[in-house]
Amino acid sequence: MTHRLVLMLSAILMMFAIFGLVMWIGAIEGENEKAAYGNMMLCFVMSALMIITLIVGIRMRASMNLRIENLLTEMFQREGSVQATSFAERMGISLDDARDVLDKRSRDRGWLRTEYAQYDARYVQG
Protein backbone atom coordinates (compact mmCIF):
# COMPACT_ATOMS: atom_id res chain seq x y z
CA MET A 1 0.00 0.00 0.00
CA THR A 2 2.97 2.27 -0.69
CA HIS A 3 0.92 4.13 -3.27
CA ARG A 4 -0.94 5.86 -0.43
CA LEU A 5 2.30 7.35 0.86
CA VAL A 6 3.31 8.51 -2.61
CA LEU A 7 -0.07 10.19 -3.10
CA MET A 8 0.26 11.89 0.29
CA LEU A 9 3.71 13.12 -0.74
CA SER A 10 2.11 14.58 -3.84
CA ALA A 11 -0.34 16.51 -1.66
CA ILE A 12 2.50 17.87 0.49
CA LEU A 13 4.37 18.98 -2.62
CA MET A 14 1.21 20.71 -3.84
CA MET A 15 1.11 22.62 -0.57
CA PHE A 16 4.67 23.86 -1.18
CA ALA A 17 3.80 24.74 -4.79
CA ILE A 18 0.88 26.87 -3.60
CA PHE A 19 3.10 28.44 -0.96
CA GLY A 20 5.63 29.34 -3.67
CA LEU A 21 2.87 30.81 -5.84
CA VAL A 22 1.55 32.97 -3.01
CA MET A 23 5.05 34.16 -2.12
CA TRP A 24 5.77 34.84 -5.80
CA ILE A 25 2.65 36.99 -6.13
CA GLY A 26 3.53 38.75 -2.88
CA ALA A 27 7.04 39.52 -4.10
CA ILE A 28 5.74 40.91 -7.40
CA GLU A 29 3.26 43.13 -5.58
CA GLY A 30 5.95 44.21 -3.12
CA GLU A 31 8.35 45.04 -5.96
CA ASN A 32 11.06 42.64 -4.84
CA GLU A 33 12.13 41.05 -8.10
CA LYS A 34 15.03 39.04 -6.64
CA ALA A 35 12.68 37.26 -4.26
CA ALA A 36 10.03 36.98 -6.98
CA TYR A 37 12.37 34.96 -9.21
CA GLY A 38 13.29 32.56 -6.40
CA ASN A 39 9.65 32.11 -5.42
CA MET A 40 8.72 31.53 -9.05
CA MET A 41 11.34 28.79 -9.26
CA LEU A 42 10.05 27.27 -6.01
CA CYS A 43 6.53 27.23 -7.43
CA PHE A 44 7.58 25.61 -10.72
CA VAL A 45 9.90 23.01 -9.17
CA MET A 46 7.34 21.96 -6.57
CA SER A 47 4.60 21.85 -9.20
CA ALA A 48 6.73 19.61 -11.43
CA LEU A 49 7.59 17.30 -8.52
CA MET A 50 3.94 17.21 -7.47
CA ILE A 51 2.82 16.18 -10.96
CA ILE A 52 5.52 13.51 -11.19
CA THR A 53 4.65 11.99 -7.80
CA LEU A 54 0.94 12.16 -8.60
CA ILE A 55 1.44 10.23 -11.84
CA VAL A 56 3.69 7.67 -10.12
CA GLY A 57 1.18 7.25 -7.27
CA ILE A 58 -1.76 6.77 -9.60
CA ARG A 59 0.16 4.16 -11.61
CA MET A 60 1.19 2.36 -8.42
CA ARG A 61 -2.44 2.35 -7.27
CA ALA A 62 -3.63 0.99 -10.62
CA SER A 63 -1.09 -1.84 -10.57
CA MET A 64 -2.01 -2.67 -6.96
CA ASN A 65 -5.72 -2.80 -7.88
CA LEU A 66 -4.91 -5.06 -10.83
CA ARG A 67 -2.95 -7.43 -8.54
CA ILE A 68 -5.83 -7.42 -6.06
CA GLU A 69 -8.43 -8.19 -8.72
CA ASN A 70 -6.33 -10.98 -10.23
CA LEU A 71 -5.78 -12.59 -6.84
CA LEU A 72 -9.46 -12.29 -5.91
CA THR A 73 -10.50 -13.89 -9.18
CA GLU A 74 -8.02 -16.72 -8.66
CA MET A 75 -9.08 -17.33 -5.05
CA PHE A 76 -12.79 -17.30 -5.84
CA GLN A 77 -12.31 -19.68 -8.76
CA ARG A 78 -10.10 -22.10 -6.84
CA GLU A 79 -11.56 -22.00 -3.33
CA GLY A 80 -14.96 -20.36 -3.78
CA SER A 81 -14.17 -17.86 -1.03
CA VAL A 82 -11.47 -15.52 0.22
CA GLN A 83 -9.89 -15.85 3.65
CA ALA A 84 -8.52 -12.50 4.86
CA THR A 85 -5.33 -13.98 6.33
CA SER A 86 -4.41 -15.91 3.19
CA PHE A 87 -5.26 -12.89 1.04
CA ALA A 88 -2.97 -10.70 3.19
CA GLU A 89 -0.15 -13.25 2.97
CA ARG A 90 -0.34 -13.64 -0.78
CA MET A 91 -0.60 -9.87 -1.38
CA GLY A 92 2.20 -9.11 1.07
CA ILE A 93 0.12 -6.60 3.04
CA SER A 94 -1.03 -6.40 6.63
CA LEU A 95 -4.23 -8.05 7.81
CA ASP A 96 -5.72 -4.61 8.54
CA ASP A 97 -5.09 -3.48 4.96
CA ALA A 98 -6.46 -6.76 3.63
CA ARG A 99 -9.62 -6.41 5.71
CA ASP A 100 -10.00 -2.81 4.52
CA VAL A 101 -9.67 -3.83 0.86
CA LEU A 102 -12.00 -6.81 1.22
CA ASP A 103 -14.61 -4.92 3.26
CA LYS A 104 -14.84 -2.16 0.64
CA ARG A 105 -15.21 -4.66 -2.16
CA SER A 106 -17.73 -6.73 -0.20
CA ARG A 107 -19.98 -3.70 0.26
CA ASP A 108 -19.78 -2.83 -3.44
CA ARG A 109 -20.20 -6.38 -4.74
CA GLY A 110 -22.61 -7.85 -2.19
CA TRP A 111 -20.27 -10.46 -0.75
CA LEU A 112 -21.16 -12.19 2.51
CA ARG A 113 -18.65 -11.89 5.35
CA THR A 114 -18.21 -14.38 8.17
CA GLU A 115 -16.18 -13.18 11.15
CA TYR A 116 -13.72 -15.54 12.81
CA ALA A 117 -11.59 -15.33 15.91
CA GLN A 118 -8.36 -13.33 15.92
CA TYR A 119 -9.62 -10.68 13.48
CA ASP A 120 -9.94 -13.05 10.55
CA ALA A 121 -12.85 -13.15 8.13
CA ARG A 122 -14.08 -15.21 5.19
CA TYR A 123 -15.74 -13.60 2.17
CA VAL A 124 -18.14 -15.48 -0.08
CA GLN A 125 -19.80 -14.19 -3.22
CA GLY A 126 -23.49 -13.86 -2.50
Side-chain angles (χ1 to χ4, degrees), residues 16-17 19-20 23 37-47:
F16 284 114
F19 173 77
M23 296 302 288
Y37 178 75
N39 291 329
M40 176 187 67
M41 293 307 296
L42 173 70
C43 178
F44 288 146
V45 168
M46 291 298 154
S47 295

Side-chain angles (χ1 to χ4, degrees), residues 2-68:
T2 310
H3 66 277
R4 293 178 180 174
L5 295 173
V6 173
L7 291 172
M8 283 186 245
L9 175 63
S10 175
I12 291 170
L13 290 171
M14 181 174 62
M15 178 187 70
F16 284 114
I18 292 171
F19 173 77
L21 177 66
V22 169
M23 296 302 288
W24 178 22
I25 292 170
I28 289 173
E29 292 296 319
E31 298 177 7
N32 189 355
E33 291 191 21
K34 289 182 183 178
Y37 178 75
N39 291 329
M40 176 187 67
M41 293 307 296
L42 173 70
C43 178
F44 288 146
V45 168
M46 291 298 154
S47 295
L49 289 173
M50 183 258 314
I51 291 170
I52 290 168
T53 56
L54 183 64
I55 291 170
V56 168
I58 289 172
R59 287 186 180 168
M60 288 173 73
R61 185 183 67 185
S63 71
M64 177 63 90
N65 284 334
L66 183 64
R67 282 184 54 215
I68 288 170

Side-chain angles (χ1 to χ4, degrees), residues 70-82 125:
N70 289 338
L71 181 58
L72 286 174
T73 303
E74 175 190 332
M75 291 179 88
F76 275 125
Q77 286 176 351
R78 186 177 331 150
E79 301 163 16
S81 65
V82 174
Q125 290 177 333

Side-chain angles (χ1 to χ4, degrees), residues 20-21 27 29 51 74 86 99 103 106 117 119:
L21 177 66
E29 292 296 319
I51 291 170
E74 175 190 332
S86 63
R99 288 284 305 256
D103 284 342
S106 71
Y119 197 61

